[in-house]
Amino acid sequence: MKENEANTLATDVYLSFVTSLFGNRGTLWTGVVVHVWWCLVVFHYSSARFYLVFAAGFIAVFAYRMYVFQRFDKADKTTITGKQIASWELQNVVGAFLAALLLGTASGYALIVLVNPFVGFTCIAMTLGSMMSIVGRNYGSRIAVDLQTLGCTGPILIACLFTENIHLVLMALLLIPFGLTTRSMANGVREFLYENVVASRQMTIIASRFDTALKTVAHGVVMLDSKGRVEVINRQALDLLSLGRSADVKDRVLAELLPKSPRNLSGANLARITALIDGSQQRALLQVADEQHLEFSASRRADGGVVLVFEDVSARVAAEQQILHMVRFDSLTGLPNRNHFAELAEERLKGRDDALAAFAVFNVDGFKHVNDVRGHVVGDRLLSMIAERLRALEAPNMLAGRLVGDEFAVLLLGDDCAHDLEQQMRELHEELQGGYQVDELRLPVSLNSGCVILPSRDFAMENCQIKADLALNHAKSVGNGTLTVFRPEMDAQYIAEQKLRTDLRHAVEHGGLHIVYQPMYKPDGSSIECCEALVRWRHPERGMVGPNIFIPMAEDMGIVSAISRFVIEQACRDCAAWPEPLAVSVNLSIQDLRNSDILAFVADVLERNGLSPKRLHLEVTESVFMDEPVSVSAILNQFRATGVTVAIDDFGTGFSSLSYLDTLPLDIVKIDRAFIRNVAEDERKRKLLRGIVNLSRDLGLRIVVEGVETQEQLSLINARGFADLVQGYVFSMPVAPEEIDELLNGSLRGGKRSRLTSRNKTDMPGPLMAAAG
């Protein structure tokens, strides 16, 4: 320790040293009795009244010291400061020093004044004997030891010097190393005790922190010795394991306590905890109640013991289970989603080998219409109710799930009779169809479904879904709630379709498509005003593939815009070579109009080919307005602003609305061929045609009638004034670009037809018939 202890010691350590000065008061009583008795004996022997004074002095000093001791006992130690402790130390030191000084002075007086060997011997013996208690009582204060040593030996040394007895002086000098030895012994004791006090203090702090940690930590903690007996256990551990009080389990074997716990742990849980204790397992998650889970971890100690740390992870487990449920089950219907359905199906089919299984995909017919008309909330409610009915129909041999959107999946397990299994699937299909009450609405529901039946060992989710989808496509083509069972030829059709798709992509990318043109004549056939560009595909193996086949395929593949741009490029190039004001007409799809890039492309093509925008007509069908009316109208308005003519094609079919004629940016209405077929015999069609024509003309729109094939139809159109332009076989079939000039030169004069239409349509080659129109 440093010499300036009061300034460097911690207050509590300093207080412990000073407190030691005020302890062991029995020695004080013994000392004062012995000292007074000694003074009286010396007085009786020498008749020196001086020793009576000393006796009184010892009593006075003792009284003073006892007074200080009592005050110290009453002092509040909890708020005491270092300065106050130093004051108490000083008061104690003063009393101890006075007592030592009295002893030393009495000895010195005996040597100088009385010069009596007996008195001198007893005085020195008493003084040096008293010095032996200095170390035992006053090690706690360096200054106390120093002053008491000085008080005892100083007067004796001075007295010996005054006797002028050289031998006595020499002997007196030995008091110096004696005093130093006493001081060193006191310092050694104080240093040793200081280190132990500091260590004890640190241990107390650590123990307090450890106890606080055990009490406040959320985990249960149990420390076991090498024999599995409880050494330390906190409150959380007692509560989680229902072990009662700490005192009841201390030093008892934990493995013997757990089976008696009200927690009533299962044998499996007890075995796993035993494995944690004996070191064969380090971690374990135990379900100790219906909704309670404890997670344990075990750490081995060097002495062979083990520390078990565990916590209640019920909330975490519940959250993980909820997340797992969200990952595995559809949030809307509660049915297994596609991936989980595949996992469950694989488990159900495991080990069934040749036993048959039926897999079906159910598709809600017209569900998009429900969403569009009734809203998505009603649509979602409908799907939920279909799922509820599906769950109500579930049987032990059945598994149901939701794939995506309005598609549900069902797996039925059977034996070796495909007919029985198919019949069960058809009965389920019929049960699911019918009316559904959604809030106040009664919605009729039909399901188009595709089914595949195969041995369980051959089941693979992806492969089965492909087959079921092929059957579903066939069912959709039939409609009205049909269930179709997969047949091998559907697979061949699918492979052929995939090959056709590959060939179509190759044709689009490598110039495998070509264009033909069908002229639009004035009704009297006197001249051609416009030619519609029609794309054709001559397949190297199949021959001519109709646009009714490859255009929908291109839309599904997302490459129809590439076809449209090819047609626009080629049509503008060809039109630029034709005499003015002959125009060309090109069809656009909804994919072309989904962004404004088409505007820049058309402008660039017109500029490169030097073609006036007035000579380009762009045709769109009504369906593009139904899907995205706002954006499509905006793009068409920009086309019209540049001078491009906009026409609505196939008007009168699908979900036609007369409001389109007023709200959309149109120049031309092309009336569909459905209104021309049998128009001469059907009065109703004539009235409809007349109404559309009159309304269109009132709105300032020009009229093109498509599909005019007979002279009788043409005569009716001319007689009633139904058309501004006529397009159809009555004048010309679609022709190659190089034949347009021949048509222009051979146009009817005075009502005669072009030679290109002089052939009867039945004389046309089959492929060309398929491609026409």
Side-chain angles (χ1 to χ4, degrees):
M1 285 191 311
K2 304 296 183 183
E3 292 299 319
N4 53 342
E5 292 167 341
N7 297 325
T8 60
L9 288 179
T11 301
D12 55 342
V13 177
Y14 184 28
L15 177 62
S16 67
F17 280 120
V18 173
T19 301
S20 69
L21 300 177
F22 290 89
N24 196 13
R25 299 176 191 180
T27 60
L28 289 179
W29 283 98
T30 302
V32 70
V33 171
V34 169
H35 293 157
V36 171
W37 179 258
W38 164 65
C39 288
L40 293 177
V41 170
V42 172
F43 167 73
H44 182 268
Y45 179 80
S46 62
S47 301
R49 299 179 182 273
F50 184 75
Y51 286 93
L52 293 178
V53 176
F54 274 82
F58 280 120
I59 294 173
V61 170
F62 174 76
Y64 166 75
R65 297 187 73 183
M66 293 305 296
Y67 169 72
V68 173
F69 276 41
Q70 290 178 359
R71 287 180 56 231
F72 180 79
D73 291 341
K74 296 177 181 179
D76 185 3
K77 311 299 190 303
T78 59
T79 59
I80 197 167
T81 64
K83 188 174 182 180
Q84 291 172 328
I85 297 172
S87 173
W88 286 112
E89 179 185 14
L90 179 60
Q91 294 179 61
N92 184 280
V93 167
V94 169
F97 173 70
L98 290 176
L101 184 62
L102 285 174
L103 280 172
T105 303
S107 299
Y109 181 82
L111 292 174
I112 297 176
V113 178
L114 298 181
V115 193
N116 187 307
F118 170 76
V119 174
F121 171 76
T122 59
C123 288
I124 293 174
M126 182 60 65
T127 300
L128 296 182
S130 297
M131 282 187 66
M132 300 305 297
S133 67
I134 292 176
V135 174
R137 274 195 50 84
N138 301 281
Y139 64 85
S141 174
R142 176 193 58 80
I143 190 171
V145 173
D146 292 345
L147 289 178
Q148 286 187 72
T149 303
L150 183 62
C152 288
T153 61
I156 296 175
L157 181 60
I158 293 171
C160 290
L161 292 175
F162 276 99
T163 60
E164 296 181 355
N165 185 332
I166 189 62
H167 296 93
L168 194 58
V169 170
L170 292 176
M171 291 299 297
L173 290 176
L174 294 177
L175 292 175
I176 297 175
F178 176 73
L180 293 176
T181 300
T182 302
R183 185 175 187 272
S184 177
M185 290 173 59
N187 288 340
V189 172
R190 186 165 61 253
E191 190 74 30
F192 174 78
L193 292 177
Y194 168 76
E195 291 176 357
N196 281 273
V197 167
V198 171
S200 175
R201 177 172 174 265
Q202 291 298 324
M203 290 178 63
T204 302
I205 293 173
I206 293 172
S208 176
R209 290 174 180 173
F210 180 67
D211 185 60
T212 302
L214 284 178
K215 291 178 179 178
T216 58
V217 70
H219 295 65
V221 179
V222 181
M223 296 180 65
L224 306 176
D225 62 15
S226 58
K227 295 182 179 179
R229 293 175 298 198
V230 177
E231 291 183 329
V232 176
I233 186 168
N234 66 352
R235 181 75 261 169
Q236 288 79 357
L238 292 169
D239 293 340
L240 291 173
L241 296 177
S242 300
L243 292 178
R245 298 182 308 164
S246 175
D248 296 335
V249 301
K250 191 72 180 298
D251 298 325
R252 298 182 63 185
V253 178
L254 180 63
E256 296 175 357
L257 290 172
L258 292 177
K260 303 174 184 178
S261 164
R263 175 64 71 183
N264 195 23
L265 297 173
S266 66
N269 285 339
L270 291 172
R272 297 186 70 183
I273 294 176
T274 302
L276 290 167
I277 295 173
D278 63 26
S280 58
Q281 193 171 342
Q282 292 185 334
R283 300 186 68 85
L285 178 62
L286 309 182
Q287 183 174 358
V288 297
D290 290 342
E291 297 182 356
Q292 188 176 28
H293 294 77
L294 300 181
E295 186 174 48
F296 285 76
S297 64
S299 300
R300 306 299 301 178
R301 292 159 50 189
D303 61 359
V306 66
V307 178
L308 295 180
V309 179
F310 53 98
E311 62 177 322
D312 188 336
V313 293
S314 304
R316 191 193 76 194
V317 171
E320 289 174 351
Q321 290 174 345
Q322 179 65 24
I323 292 172
L324 187 60
H325 186 275
M326 292 170 63
V327 170
R328 291 179 169 179
F329 292 85
D330 175 58
S331 59
L332 176 64
T333 64
L335 293 174
N337 59 23
R338 185 185 187 281
N339 291 335
H340 191 46
F341 178 87
E343 293 171 356
L344 294 175
E346 185 177 354
E347 291 177 7
R348 295 277 189 96
L349 294 166
K350 191 177 296 182
R352 286 175 47 84
D353 299 328
D354 291 333
L356 296 178
F359 172 75
V361 176
F362 294 163
N363 178 263
V364 182
D365 192 14
F367 181 72
K368 184 178 185 300
H369 182 68
V370 175
N371 270 341
D372 292 341
V373 175
R374 303 295 184 181
H376 288 277
V377 173
V378 173
D380 288 347
R381 292 288 303 278
L382 176 60
L383 292 177
S384 296
M385 296 187 73
I386 294 173
E388 287 178 12
R389 187 177 293 186
L390 196 55
R391 273 194 294 268
L393 295 171
E394 274 195 286
N397 69 327
M398 174 182 164
L399 175 66
R402 185 188 181 194
L403 296 180
V404 65
D406 59 347
E407 288 190 351
F408 295 88
V410 171
L411 176 72
L412 284 180
L413 305 179
D415 43 32
D416 57 353
C417 182
H419 179 268
D420 290 347
L421 200 55
E422 179 182 340
Q423 187 59 34
Q424 291 180 48
M425 189 66 79
R426 291 191 181 279
E427 290 173 1
L428 175 63
H429 177 257
E430 288 302 318
E431 290 283 350
L432 287 175
Q433 300 193 102
Y436 284 82
Q437 190 72 34
V438 181
D439 296 330
E440 298 179 356
L441 300 172
R442 183 71 177 177
L443 299 177
V445 171
S446 61
L447 301 172
N448 294 317
S449 309
C451 175
V452 58
I453 301 175
L454 72 172
S456 299
R457 56 180 166 76
D458 294 336
F459 181 89
M461 183 66 182
E462 186 173 354
N463 185 45
C464 285
Q465 188 170 353
I466 290 174
K467 289 179 167 60
D469 283 341
L470 292 175
L472 175 61
N473 290 337
H474 183 274
K476 286 181 178 180
S477 67
V478 177
N480 298 320
T482 301
L483 185 146
T484 301
V485 178
F486 173 80
R487 300 187 305 275
E489 56 265 30
M490 293 180 182
D491 213 358
Q493 292 173 1
Y494 172 74
I495 294 172
E497 182 182 339
Q498 296 306 308
K499 184 179 186 306
L500 189 62
R501 285 172 175 258
T502 301
D503 294 342
L504 176 59
R505 187 180 297 277
H506 183 272
V508 172
E509 294 175 352
H510 297 87
L513 304 178
H514 66 278
I515 297 175
V516 296
Y517 296 95
Q518 186 170 32
M520 301 178 197
Y521 283 81
K522 286 186 176 180
D524 61 3
S526 60
S527 64
I528 302 172
E529 288 195 8
C530 185
C531 294
E532 181 177 2
L534 302 171
V535 64
R536 295 293 184 259
W537 179 26
R538 185 180 295 277
H539 191 277
E541 299 172 1
R542 299 189 180 194
M544 293 300 296
V545 179
N548 60 316
I549 296 175
F550 74 82
I551 291 298
M553 188 178 292
E555 289 179 338
D556 185 53
M557 295 169 62
I559 61 174
V560 71
S561 291
I563 296 176
S564 299
R565 297 192 177 209
F566 159 72
V567 175
I568 293 172
E569 182 82 49
Q570 185 64 47
C572 289
R573 185 183 303 115
D574 291 340
C575 185
W578 299 338
E580 294 187 20
L582 184 60
V584 69
S585 183
V586 178
N587 288 278
L588 294 181
S589 75
I590 180 59
Q591 293 184 25
D592 299 319
L593 299 171
R594 283 199 170 125
N595 59 66
S596 58
D597 293 348
I598 189 68
L599 293 166
F601 175 77
V602 170
D604 179 62
V605 171
L606 291 174
E607 183 179 358
R608 282 190 284 106
N609 290 284
L611 186 67
S612 170
K614 294 181 180 180
R615 297 179 65 190
L616 175 62
H617 295 187
L618 296 178
E619 298 184 17
V620 294
T621 61
E622 300 160 48
S623 61
V624 302
F625 301 111
M626 293 180 62
D627 292 337
E628 301 178 32
V630 177
S631 60
V632 169
S633 295
I635 292 174
L636 294 181
N637 270 312
Q638 293 182 66
F639 272 128
R640 288 191 71 202
T642 64
V644 173
T645 300
V646 177
I648 186 169
D649 193 18
D650 298 332
F651 188 80
T653 61
F655 296 95
S656 297
S657 173
L658 293 175
S659 64
Y660 289 149
L661 302 180
D662 178 49
T663 58
L664 299 177
L666 302 175
D667 300 293
I668 296 174
V669 174
K670 297 187 72 175
I671 298 176
D672 189 73
R673 67 184 66 231
F675 285 92
I676 304 304
R677 192 178 301 117
N678 302 325
V679 70
E681 298 84 13
D682 192 336
E683 178 64 24
R684 182 180 177 84
K685 282 190 177 180
R686 287 199 299 273
K687 290 181 179 180
L688 287 172
L689 182 57
R690 182 169 57 248
I692 294 172
V693 169
N694 291 338
L695 179 59
S696 299
R697 287 215 168 104
D698 288 343
L699 294 173
L701 303 175
R702 300 191 73 201
I703 299 166
V704 177
V705 178
E706 300 180 288
V708 181
E709 299 182 352
T710 67
Q711 190 63 44
E712 184 180 16
Q713 293 171 344
L714 181 61
S715 298
L716 178 64
I717 289 171
N718 282 322
R720 303 294 177 90
F722 282 162
D724 297 304
L725 293 174
V726 172
Q727 181 179 351
Y729 288 163
V730 70
F731 286 125
S732 175
M733 57 180 274
V735 298
E738 56 270 17
E739 298 184 61
I740 293 298
D741 289 336
E742 188 175 348
L743 283 177
L744 291 171
N745 294 330
S747 293
L748 292 179
R749 297 178 179 88
K752 296 181 181 180
R753 294 170 61 193
S754 166
R755 73 171 185 86
L756 288 173
T757 60
S758 61
R759 296 178 293 176
N760 189 294
K761 288 186 296 176
T762 56
D763 298 331
M764 289 186 234
L768 192 56
M769 274 288 293

Coordinates of all heavy atoms in Angstrom, one line a residue, residues 17 29 42 84 116-117 146 230 262 264 274 304 324 502 588 637 724:
F17 N -10.0 -0.7 7.8 CA -8.7 -0.6 8.6 C -8.9 0.3 9.8 O -8.4 -0.1 10.9 CB -7.6 0.0 7.7 CG -7.0 -0.9 6.8 CD1 -7.0 -0.7 5.4 CD2 -6.4 -2.1 7.2 CE1 -6.5 -1.6 4.5 CE2 -5.8 -3.0 6.4 CZ -5.8 -2.8 5.0
W29 N -9.0 -2.8 28.4 CA -9.2 -2.9 29.8 C -8.1 -3.6 30.5 O -7.7 -3.2 31.6 CB -10.5 -3.8 30.0 CG -11.8 -3.0 29.7 CD1 -12.5 -2.9 28.6 CD2 -12.4 -2.1 30.7 NE1 -13.6 -2.1 28.8 CE2 -13.5 -1.5 30.1 CE3 -12.1 -1.7 32.0 CZ2 -14.4 -0.7 30.7 CZ3 -13.0 -0.8 32.6 CH2 -14.1 -0.3 32.0
V42 N 5.2 0.0 41.7 CA 6.4 0.7 41.7 C 6.4 1.8 42.8 O 7.4 2.0 43.5 CB 6.7 1.3 40.3 CG1 7.8 2.3 40.3 CG2 6.9 0.2 39.3
Q84 N -13.8 12.1 7.2 CA -14.3 11.8 8.5 C -13.6 10.6 9.1 O -13.3 10.5 10.3 CB -15.9 11.5 8.4 CG -16.7 12.8 8.1 CD -18.1 12.4 7.9 OE1 -18.4 11.4 7.3 NE2 -19.0 13.4 8.3
N116 N 17.1 2.8 40.0 CA 16.9 1.6 40.8 C 16.7 0.5 39.8 O 15.9 0.5 38.9 CB 15.5 1.8 41.6 CG 15.3 0.6 42.5 OD1 15.3 -0.5 42.1 ND2 15.0 1.0 43.8
P117 N 17.6 -0.5 40.0 CA 17.6 -1.6 39.0 C 16.2 -2.3 38.9 O 15.8 -2.6 37.8 CB 18.7 -2.6 39.5 CG 19.6 -1.7 40.3 CD 18.7 -0.7 41.0
D146 N 3.8 3.9 14.2 CA 5.0 4.8 14.3 C 5.0 5.6 15.6 O 6.0 5.6 16.3 CB 5.1 5.7 13.1 CG 5.3 4.9 11.8 OD1 5.7 3.7 11.9 OD2 5.2 5.5 10.7
V230 N -27.4 -29.9 -7.5 CA -27.6 -28.5 -7.8 C -26.7 -27.7 -6.9 O -26.8 -27.8 -5.6 CB -29.1 -28.2 -7.6 CG1 -29.3 -26.6 -7.7 CG2 -30.0 -28.9 -8.5
P262 N -44.2 -30.8 -10.5 CA -45.6 -30.7 -11.0 C -45.6 -30.4 -12.5 O -46.7 -30.6 -13.1 CB -46.1 -29.5 -10.2 CG -45.3 -29.4 -9.0 CD -43.9 -29.9 -9.4
N264 N -44.6 -32.3 -14.6 CA -44.9 -33.6 -15.2 C -44.3 -33.8 -16.6 O -45.0 -34.0 -17.6 CB -46.5 -33.7 -15.3 CG -46.9 -35.2 -15.5 OD1 -46.2 -36.1 -15.2 ND2 -48.1 -35.4 -16.1
T274 N -31.4 -35.5 -19.2 CA -30.3 -36.4 -18.7 C -29.1 -36.4 -19.7 O -28.0 -36.4 -19.3 CB -30.8 -37.8 -18.5 OG1 -31.9 -37.8 -17.6 CG2 -29.7 -38.7 -17.9
G304 N -15.8 -31.1 -14.0 CA -16.8 -32.2 -14.3 C -18.2 -31.8 -14.1 O -19.1 -32.6 -14.5
L324 N -43.9 -20.6 -41.1 CA -43.9 -21.8 -41.8 C -45.2 -22.1 -42.5 O -45.4 -22.5 -43.6 CB -43.5 -23.0 -40.9 CG -43.3 -24.4 -41.6 CD1 -42.1 -24.3 -42.7 CD2 -42.9 -25.4 -40.6
T502 N -41.4 -22.8 -81.3 CA -39.9 -22.6 -81.6 C -39.7 -22.2 -83.0 O -38.9 -21.2 -83.3 CB -39.2 -23.9 -81.3 OG1 -39.4 -24.3 -79.9 CG2 -37.7 -23.7 -81.5
L588 N -52.7 -3.4 -85.3 CA -51.8 -3.3 -84.1 C -52.5 -4.1 -83.0 O -53.7 -4.2 -82.9 CB -51.7 -1.9 -83.6 CG -50.9 -0.9 -84.5 CD1 -50.9 0.5 -83.9 CD2 -49.5 -1.4 -84.8
N637 N -54.5 9.1 -80.0 CA -54.7 10.6 -80.2 C -53.4 11.2 -80.7 O -53.5 12.1 -81.5 CB -55.1 11.2 -78.9 CG -56.6 11.3 -78.7 OD1 -57.3 11.7 -79.6 ND2 -57.1 10.9 -77.5
D724 N -68.3 3.1 -97.6 CA -67.4 4.0 -98.3 C -66.4 3.2 -99.1 O -65.9 3.6 -100.1 CB -66.8 5.0 -97.4 CG -67.8 5.9 -96.7 OD1 -68.6 6.5 -97.4 OD2 -67.8 5.9 -95.5

